[in-house]
Amino acid sequence: MKVAMPVNGQSMQDEVCESFGRAPFFLFYDTESEVPNFVDNVAAKSRGGAGIQAAQSLVDAAADVLLTPRCGENAAEVLAAANVAVYKTEGRSIEANLEAFGNGSLPLLQETHPGFHGHQND
Amino acid sequence: MVPCPCCKKHIPDSMDTRMTNPKVAVLSGKGGTGKTLLAVNLAEVAGRSLYLDCDVEEPNGHLFFRPAELETQAIQVKIPQIDADLCDGCKICVDFCKFNALAFAGSKWILFEEICHSCGGCTLVCPQHALSERDKTIGQVQNGISEQVCVYSGFLNPGEASGIPIIKKLLAETRTADTAVIIDCPPGSACIVMESIKDADYCLLVAEPTIFGAHNLQMVHELVTLFHKPCGVVLNKCQAGDNPSERYCVEHDLPIVGRIDFDPVLGRLNSDGKIAARVSGTYNQRFSVIWQTILEETQLETAINS
């Protein structure tokens, strides 16, 4: 299973990013091989619709699951269309969240927020 | 009548019209400085005039004019639609859209209508010709008459990406106008304001007597300078003491074409939705003086530029 997560840096010691669409990097973690792969978030610098573009990149990368503190409603619509399950992270630790997800203790993300149409660096 | 500056004999019709019937855009770097107050009252004292409310996100000039004989016209833009049978999921349209209004996920093409800027690019780049355009209503233009003022107001539906198509429609009215035109602009200095001042002969900048007001004045001053528009300033809400906006005008050689004192009487008239120049002799005179100054300024500019 391919797990995606918005992160602030390119190591497992970095933190989960508070933002989904404008996170600097995404971690793709393969739960079978346990190999982490950090990639630049192409949407981070987009002028608007960053969440949509970030969600598209996750879909294109064939992510099965997204772990994130927050998610906009437009991004959620794209992820839902591709059956990407979205779970809510707890705390900032990447490893703790991966472990919690593995244990089945992360909740599904229930609430999505409206988009900001580029007016806020979300 | 001013004789033609080049031949000193006749005045071409177009020039004459421009001198006596200028298109004046009223703008400011922030909301609440008195743009609508100025625009509405200047339209009132200009005699027969055309008032355009280009502040399409929150038009309020009509609340003062209460125009009669209303006519309404829906304004539409083009947005893409898909023929799912033709789409092969190549995502060229998704990559093309600079606004990220499109996505393709789980074999489903998704359009985020409120993000689409109607550029039409996606329909052009689709190799399968699966995309076509359809109309989408984004707002309306309303026009009516209020005594001698012809009132046009643009209304953008909440949540829409851009009011520019509505402003273009409003400005189209100025091409056939044979009266003075007052353009009530949106606040700020973004593209929607640039669109509103594009056809103006003169820009009137309204400024508050605060440091914040002076900063906002600078923003719009830089904008109109960029567009090579002649401009002048009305200092609004003037009180005793230092006026940072006035200082800015002096430092930058900006003509001050009027001053309006901070006056509870004017505030009350405005809050009651009254047009001060229509109900108060004093204010009719004050706004007339400002209008005359603007006319003189525009004639001066015409002479200089000829």
Side-chain angles (χ1 to χ4, degrees):
Chain A
M1 186 184 286
K2 199 169 187 178
V3 180
M5 205 188 301
V7 291
N8 285 329
Q10 298 190 74
S11 83
M12 294 298 274
Q13 281 66 52
D14 280 296
E15 291 188 328
V16 177
C17 182
E18 273 302 305
S19 166
F20 167 65
R22 303 225 180 247
F25 307 100
F26 281 115
L27 161 65
F28 291 104
Y29 186 83
D30 188 320
T31 52
E32 279 85 57
S33 67
E34 299 187 344
V35 174
N37 181 23
F38 293 89
V39 299
D40 289 346
N41 173 17
V42 290
K45 289 186 175 63
S46 74
R47 293 173 62 188
I52 295 167
Q53 196 183 4
Q56 180 73 57
S57 71
L58 260 55
V59 171
D60 293 347
D64 300 296
V65 171
L66 168 64
L67 314 185
T68 182
R70 313 165 70 214
C71 181
E73 60 191 10
N74 290 342
E77 186 179 337
V78 176
L79 296 167
N83 293 316
V84 178
V86 184
Y87 290 86
K88 187 170 170 53
T89 54
E90 284 169 353
R92 304 299 289 269
S93 161
I94 293 173
E95 286 185 324
N97 274 293
L98 284 172
E99 198 182 320
F101 172 71
N103 297 337
S105 63
L106 280 188
L108 280 168
L109 185 76
Q110 304 289 355
E111 284 182 7
T112 56
H113 62 84
F116 293 107
H117 305 286
H119 292 308
Q120 183 173 328
N121 288 332
D122 183 24
Chain B
M1 276 284 173
V2 182
C4 172
C6 53
C7 66
K8 313 283 181 211
K9 286 176 196 157
H10 70 286
I11 299 168
D13 284 350
S14 60
M15 204 159 126
D16 189 22
T17 305
R18 185 173 158 181
M19 283 179 185
T20 53
N21 294 322
K23 292 174 196 161
V24 177
V26 183
L27 60 162
S28 72
K30 67 184 272 292
T33 57
K35 279 183 303 300
T36 298
L37 173 80
L38 253 299
V40 165
N41 282 282
L42 291 180
E44 173 66 19
V45 298
R48 280 180 63 235
S49 66
L50 173 60
Y51 166 87
L52 302 180
D53 199 342
C54 288
D55 190 1
V56 297
E57 289 179 15
E58 41 208 3
N60 59 346
H62 64 103
L63 299 176
F64 296 92
F65 284 116
R66 294 168 202 175
E69 299 168 49
L70 279 183
E71 287 173 21
T72 299
Q73 189 184 350
I75 305 298
Q76 288 160 334
V77 295
K78 301 284 186 195
I79 58 167
Q81 61 183 357
I82 196 156
D83 182 338
D85 292 338
L86 294 177
C87 176
D88 66 354
C90 71
K91 288 189 296 199
I92 287 174
C93 60
V94 174
D95 293 337
F96 177 83
C97 184
K98 293 290 168 283
F99 299 101
N100 298 316
L102 298 175
F104 190 88
S107 69
K108 190 179 156 202
W109 181 85
I110 305 169
L111 165 68
F112 294 93
E113 285 188 17
E114 72 284 4
I115 294 174
C116 176
H117 280 56
S118 303
C119 75
C122 55
T123 59
L124 295 176
V125 299
C126 177
Q128 303 299 318
H129 306 291
L131 294 174
S132 57
E133 291 186 316
R134 68 177 169 90
D135 286 329
K136 178 197 176 194
T137 299
I138 58 160
Q140 62 181 44
V141 165
Q142 211 176 62
N143 70 287
I145 302 288
S146 177
E147 296 191 6
Q148 293 199 80
V149 185
C150 192
V151 180
Y152 276 77
S153 304
F155 294 83
L156 178 69
N157 291 343
E160 292 299 339
S162 167
I164 285 176
I166 297 177
I167 291 174
K168 279 189 196 291
K169 181 72 191 169
L170 287 167
L171 292 177
E173 297 303 325
T174 65
R175 285 183 206 124
T176 51
D178 59 350
T179 63
V181 179
I182 309 289
I183 304 165
D184 195 351
C185 295
S189 51
C191 47
I192 197 165
V193 180
M194 298 184 207
E195 192 66 38
S196 304
I197 66 168
K198 225 159 55 179
D199 292 343
D201 300 316
Y202 187 82
C203 288
L204 186 65
L205 317 179
V206 189
E208 286 179 348
T210 59
I211 293 170
F212 187 41
H215 172 76
N216 286 292
L217 172 61
Q218 181 183 349
M219 280 167 55
V220 279
H221 180 218
E222 285 171 3
L223 177 72
V224 299
T225 306
L226 196 68
F227 277 73
H228 304 291
K229 297 286 183 189
C231 66
V233 177
V234 167
L235 298 171
N236 192 17
K237 307 181 195 177
C238 291
Q239 298 183 75
D242 184 39
N243 186 336
S245 292
E246 182 171 16
R247 259 193 285 132
Y248 180 87
C249 293
V250 172
E251 284 162 15
H252 294 82
D253 230 357
L254 257 175
I256 297 170
V257 297
R259 287 163 205 273
I260 302 171
D261 287 338
F262 189 78
D263 176 8
V265 174
L266 179 60
R268 205 164 295 127
L269 285 173
N270 217 40
S271 305
D272 289 343
K274 300 248 166 59
I275 301 170
R278 198 174 273 182
V279 298
S280 149
T282 313
Y283 273 106
N284 185 287
Q285 200 190 346
R286 285 181 192 171
F287 284 109
S288 294
V289 169
I290 296 174
W291 180 243
Q292 285 308 317
T293 311
I294 291 168
L295 286 181
E296 282 159 25
E297 289 276 324
T298 53
Q299 283 173 15
L300 194 68
E301 287 294 338
T302 311
I304 290 167
N305 294 337
S306 308

